Amino acid sequence: MTATDQQRADLLALRGALGSFATGVTIVTTRVEDADVGLTANSFSSVSLDPPMLLWSLAKTSSSHEAFMAAGHFAVHVLSVDQEHLSRRFASKDVDRFAGLPLERGPGDVPLLTGCAARFSCRSAFHYEGGDHTIFVGEIVGFDHTPTPPLVFHAGKYALAAPRAEPLGAADPARVPPTGFAEDLLGYLMGRAHHQLYDRMRSELAELGLGEREHFTLSVLGISDRRTLDEINAFTAYTGVTLTREAAADLESRGLVRCEPAEGGPRLSLTDAGQQALLRLVAAAKAIEVDALADLSEEEGRLLRHLLKRVIRTTDPGIPDLWASRQERS
Ligand SMILES: Cc1cc2nc3c(=O)[nH]c(=O)nc-3n(C[C@H](O)[C@H](O)[C@H](O)COP(=O)(O)O)c2cc1C
């Protein structure tokens, strides 16, 4: 390794170490000589409450450096979780960063972006030498904020801010019986959540005169039609419910599926009536889901799905991927 290779490796390692500090993401804007200027920055920090001050640092090589050195005012926008696209845009070269964005104007005619978690309008108070960066300290002359969760940046990637769950073991010891069956046992939590959700689904199914087995069958065929009994049972093996030839014949006699003879048993497909029943069940499932997640933010809902998918992957005994099987067929 040459000296420069070594220096480069050291720099990367330093960057990696600094990246272990999770930050929010901001866009800093200003206006100089009738031009709007702005860039993505995560070097933001609060400095002082009285007087109210903040800081951020800007690479001396940045095309915006001269403008911010000359600016009397700037604004710091703390991005919300759904503004990752703005962060990317304001970190890209050779794009019109402000094109098409709704703008308000702050002190010094500085452009103010909308939909942010927080915004701070500043009078440019001090510049400090900071190696290859200049540190800008601003006196906060105006601010606003919303309850929208912020965008997070950690280890070079965008991330989500989620409140920490109660630490394990924090459960009230008086509520842990001698068997150790505490109320935060994962199987209990997931099982109970499933049964409480599915209970409402059962009433919907009952109105259609259907049970779980029929529900699972229609659902499989709704994703990947023309499946044999064995294939349907392989996709739903995790439920412990099996579709028998008799049950398939019953679904056919009720006009919900069509059975064509095939090697090793009938091949089922949805009839129009089956499609209609399934549409109704999916609509009911969506309504149940909206009610179940009412207490969670959009981000928490996304995180819950993401974590459940990971648990499903980790515990998968080898169930074929139903959604992928659909692509294979089309
Ligand atoms: C998440 C993130 C944080 C950044 N933070 C800073 C920063 O604090 N200071 C800085 O000078 N550049 C930062 N950058 C880089 C600039 O946004 C980007 O390099 C710059 O805008 C490129 O164009 P320019 O030379 O026109 O400024 C960051 C980029 C990203 C994606």
Side-chain angles (χ1 to χ4, degrees), residues 75 94 96 226 234 242 261 301 307 327 330:
D94 304 324
D96 180 351
R226 298 198 64 242
T242 311
L307 295 178
Q327 283 153 14
S330 54

Side-chain angles (χ1 to χ4, degrees), residues 31-291:
R31 185 166 176 88
V32 171
E33 289 173 9
D34 294 336
D36 290 336
V37 178
L39 82 157
T40 303
N42 68 341
S43 52
F44 167 80
S45 179
S46 60
V47 172
S48 160
L49 276 180
D50 188 13
M53 295 178 120
L54 56 74
L55 68 75
W56 65 288
S57 64
L58 174 61
K60 289 178 183 168
T61 51
S62 166
S63 61
S64 316
H65 192 262
E66 209 181 309
F68 279 100
M69 290 298 281
H73 290 86
F74 61 81
V76 179
H77 306 75
V78 178
L79 298 188
S80 64
V81 67
D82 48 10
Q83 289 182 314
E84 186 183 318
H85 61 291
L86 286 186
S87 170
R88 292 184 189 280
R89 189 203 275 208
F90 277 79
S92 302
K93 287 190 172 284
D94 304 324
V95 293
D96 180 351
R97 294 176 180 172
F98 292 91
L101 296 180
L103 294 178
E104 293 164 10
R105 292 284 161 184
D109 212 22
V110 168
L112 294 179
L113 307 173
T114 59
C116 304
R119 303 188 295 190
F120 302 94
S121 291
C122 300
R123 183 183 66 76
S124 198
F126 305 105
H127 306 156
Y128 294 107
E129 173 59 32
D132 57 8
H133 280 56
T134 299
I135 300 162
F136 290 86
V137 175
E139 183 193 348
I140 301 168
V141 293
F143 68 94
D144 55 23
H145 74 120
T146 67
T148 324
L151 182 61
V152 171
F153 198 69
H154 176 236
K157 293 200 171 103
Y158 293 100
L160 308 174
R164 253 192 113 129
E166 287 282 305
L168 273 181
D172 179 356
R175 289 170 64 93
V176 181
T179 54
F181 192 154
E183 60 194 324
D184 49 9
L185 198 70
L186 189 62
Y188 163 71
L189 293 174
M190 293 176 72
R192 180 156 172 185
H194 163 73
H195 286 295
Q196 287 182 187
L197 285 175
Y198 205 72
D199 199 46
R200 271 184 64 188
M201 201 65 203
R202 278 202 189 88
S203 354
E204 197 69 31
L205 286 164
E207 282 185 29
L208 292 167
L210 300 174
E212 263 187 19
R213 185 167 54 186
E214 291 75 18
H215 181 202
F216 299 160
T217 304
L218 296 184
S219 301
V220 167
L221 296 176
I223 299 162
S224 188
D225 209 17
R226 298 198 64 242
R227 290 289 174 181
T228 65
L229 280 190
D230 284 350
E231 287 170 340
I232 293 169
N233 284 326
F235 287 130
T236 58
Y238 61 90
T239 64
V241 174
T242 311
L243 181 69
T244 57
R245 272 174 192 255
E246 294 71 36
D250 182 50
L251 276 173
E252 186 176 35
S253 72
R254 297 166 63 180
L256 295 171
V257 302
R258 207 173 300 110
C259 294
E260 327 159 19
E263 216 173 295
R267 187 179 285 286
L268 279 68
S269 36
L270 282 183
T271 60
D272 286 349
Q275 295 260 17
Q276 287 308 314
L278 183 59
L279 281 175
R280 181 171 159 182
L281 292 171
V282 172
K286 284 190 177 155
I288 293 169
E289 176 179 312
V290 168
D291 289 349

